[in-house]
Amino acid sequence: MYIFLCEDSLDGIFSGVYDAWASGYGHANVTLTTCCPDNYSLFHEYITVKTDLEKSAKVARTLRKRMGMETYEELCQAALSSEQSSKRKQPLDKADALYQTIVLALSLPDSSKVLSYLGEPYVNRVFQLSRSTGNEAHHLLGFVRFQELENGVLFARIHPKNDVLPFLGEHFSDRLPQENFMIYDENRQLAVLHPKGAGFFITDTEELDMEMLERYSPEELEYQKLWCKFFDSIAVEARKNLKLQNQNLPKRFQQDIVEFRRNH
């Protein structure tokens, strides 16, 4: 068995798909994983995959052409999900589930229907991962709060379980094309940056000035006060239901919303 060790990213997994397919070892003889094994098996050969943007782009083009955009985006959502498969059996590893799903898809007359084959464990795994990422991204489209910094940039801080920045970047770039904004994923130390009138890009935040992110404009501070007063004034104490509130607005989102952050 040949085990391809991939970086846990969309480009990393797609690079692994490219290398595994091009290896000629046979689909039944290869496995992809984003998790370094605790114990190396004597009878397995381990191959480290170098993330290659050109290889990733070739895989992406093939998938879009053969599967269509809708199915392709579902696969991307699965690849961007948080990896929690290290304790699962190897066939259900995220990267391997994606690889086997792609292999199945490209063998079908209509590759776009591959996610309907939920009886296959690896397809089911991809479906569940994609749904998890998609649901969280959908929630955050409504819960992301931008705050105006001293320098005029609109800033939002998030703590998602999954890597949803590509989806948020695309969504808010379409809706705020003439704004300089930044969405900071503190869990992954990554950020979406959108310059006014241009496209967005994702970058690491190793050199980010954290103090700058706490310096709000005077207008922003005033609006925060007004909003919190409004939030308090419309609350009905007798009808307070924290359990229902936490169901509709999970606690992990509340830490990034000004009216809840006061109580954290």
Side-chain angles (χ1 to χ4, degrees), residues 17 20-21 26-28 30 32 63 66-67 75 95-108 111 114 122-123:
V17 170
W21 198 294
H27 303 313
V30 300
L32 270 64
L63 298 183
R66 295 289 299 274
M67 298 181 178
L75 295 183
D96 196 49
L98 280 161
Y99 179 69
Q100 297 300 333
T101 298
I102 290 170
V103 170
L104 173 61
L106 298 183
S107 71
L108 298 174
S111 297
V114 66
Y122 45 86
V123 175

Side-chain angles (χ1 to χ4, degrees), residues 25-171:
Y25 295 141
H27 303 313
N29 300 318
V30 300
T31 294
L32 270 64
T33 182
T34 59
C35 306
C36 290
D38 295 329
N39 296 302
Y40 286 82
S41 173
L42 181 64
F43 302 104
H44 292 166
E45 182 175 338
Y46 296 86
I47 303 168
T48 299
V49 175
K50 182 179 179 180
T51 299
D52 187 308
L53 298 182
E54 185 176 345
K55 291 178 179 179
S56 175
K58 287 180 179 179
V59 171
R61 284 196 298 270
T62 298
L63 298 183
R64 287 195 295 266
K65 181 179 179 180
R66 295 289 299 274
M67 298 181 178
M69 279 303 298
E70 185 175 349
T71 303
Y72 169 73
E73 288 175 357
E74 293 276 356
L75 295 183
C76 290
Q77 287 183 177
L80 293 171
S81 67
S82 59
E83 178 54 85
Q84 298 175 338
S85 62
S86 59
K87 295 181 180 180
R88 294 175 178 265
K89 295 180 180 180
Q90 190 70 8
L92 293 182
D93 183 279
K94 176 176 69 173
D96 196 49
L98 280 161
Y99 179 69
Q100 297 300 333
T101 298
I102 290 170
V103 170
L104 173 61
L106 298 183
S107 71
L108 298 174
D110 185 352
S111 297
S112 67
K113 303 295 185 184
V114 66
L115 293 182
S116 65
Y117 288 72
L118 293 177
E120 298 290 349
Y122 45 86
V123 175
N124 193 283
R125 170 79 168 144
V126 168
F127 177 81
Q128 296 295 336
L129 290 172
S130 178
R131 186 169 64 174
S132 173
T133 305
N135 286 346
E136 185 168 40
H138 178 74
H139 275 89
L140 282 169
L141 293 181
F143 295 144
V144 165
R145 298 290 185 84
F146 286 102
Q147 299 169 304
E148 186 180 62
L149 299 180
E150 203 173 51
N151 58 12
V153 172
L154 299 182
F155 171 73
R157 189 192 308 266
I158 59 174
H159 295 82
K161 291 181 179 179
N162 303 296
D163 184 3
V164 297
L165 283 180
F167 307 104
L168 299 183
E170 182 175 359
H171 175 86

